[in-house]
Amino acid sequence: MKKLAKSPWMLHYDASSCNGCDIEVLACTTPKYDIERFGIINTGDPFQADILLITGGVNAQCESVVRQLYEQMPNPKVVVAVGICACTGGVFKDCYNIKGGIDTVIPVDVYVPGCAARPQAIIDGVVKALEILEEKRRMYKEEKKARKEGPCSGSDEHN
């Protein structure tokens, strides 16, 4: 993995999980697994977050919250679905209150399956998310530069 320009901030949200995956996400922050060695900063503020890490399936109560958290995050951003429930709805997908995985509400960049997902798999998913985030940042800068330079910049045709 190449060196990051800035420490990515990660927001963890429990959509409607059984807490199995949440416990494993918390294990990732302990000295044994130490996800912070990759420069990750855990935050509770979506306005500062680069990575949205979600556990659990989507139900009617949390659908708007998941969408709102995603929309509040600045671009570029990456979403990591942790656990089979976040990926597909899991064993609860046929229940009356589960709409499915996170990708039924927002786009997902990285899927980390498992019931519960192991800390090593979660860290692998976050490292993959960091690579995707760096690529999105590069593309975002290029798009911003292209818009700034635009076809009309520097010409007198429109004056």
Side-chain angles (χ1 to χ4, degrees):
M1 187 174 84
K2 70 179 196 170
K3 187 175 180 196
L4 300 172
K6 75 175 202 83
S7 291
W9 288 34
M10 182 177 75
L11 172 65
H12 170 220
Y13 179 72
D14 175 2
S16 65
S17 77
C18 69
N19 292 329
C21 290
D22 295 313
I23 291 168
E24 300 299 337
V25 169
L26 291 175
C28 292
T29 64
T30 65
K32 182 174 181 177
Y33 297 104
D34 192 21
I35 198 168
E36 292 177 354
R37 71 178 178 248
F38 298 106
I40 303 289
I41 297 172
N42 211 356
T43 184
D45 184 1
F47 293 104
Q48 304 297 324
D50 302 300
I51 301 169
L52 179 58
L53 190 137
I54 303 183
T55 57
V58 175
N59 62 27
Q61 290 181 328
C62 72
E63 180 179 12
S64 62
V65 175
V66 169
R67 190 173 285 117
Q68 183 179 18
L69 287 172
Y70 180 78
E71 290 170 358
Q72 288 176 342
M73 292 173 62
N75 285 322
K77 54 192 161 201
V78 178
V79 177
V80 180
V82 174
I84 197 65
C85 293
C87 293
T88 66
V91 296
F92 305 106
K93 70 180 170 194
D94 293 326
C95 293
Y96 72 95
N97 64 332
I98 297 294
K99 294 181 174 245
I102 302 304
D103 58 6
T104 61
V105 178
I106 58 174
V108 174
D109 298 290
V110 179
Y111 294 90
V112 180
C115 184
R118 303 298 306 146
Q120 299 91 328
I122 295 168
I123 290 173
D124 286 346
V126 171
V127 168
K128 179 68 175 166
L130 293 176
E131 294 169 7
I132 293 169
L133 181 62
E134 281 302 306
E135 180 63 22
K136 283 186 174 185
R137 282 180 179 164
R138 186 189 62 75
M139 290 171 46
Y140 187 74
K141 282 181 183 178
E142 288 175 6
E143 288 175 10
K144 196 172 178 182
K145 185 178 177 183
R147 278 192 307 255
K148 198 175 204 180
E149 292 175 357
C152 297
S153 66
S155 69
D156 293 329
E157 292 177 19
H158 298 287
N159 292 336

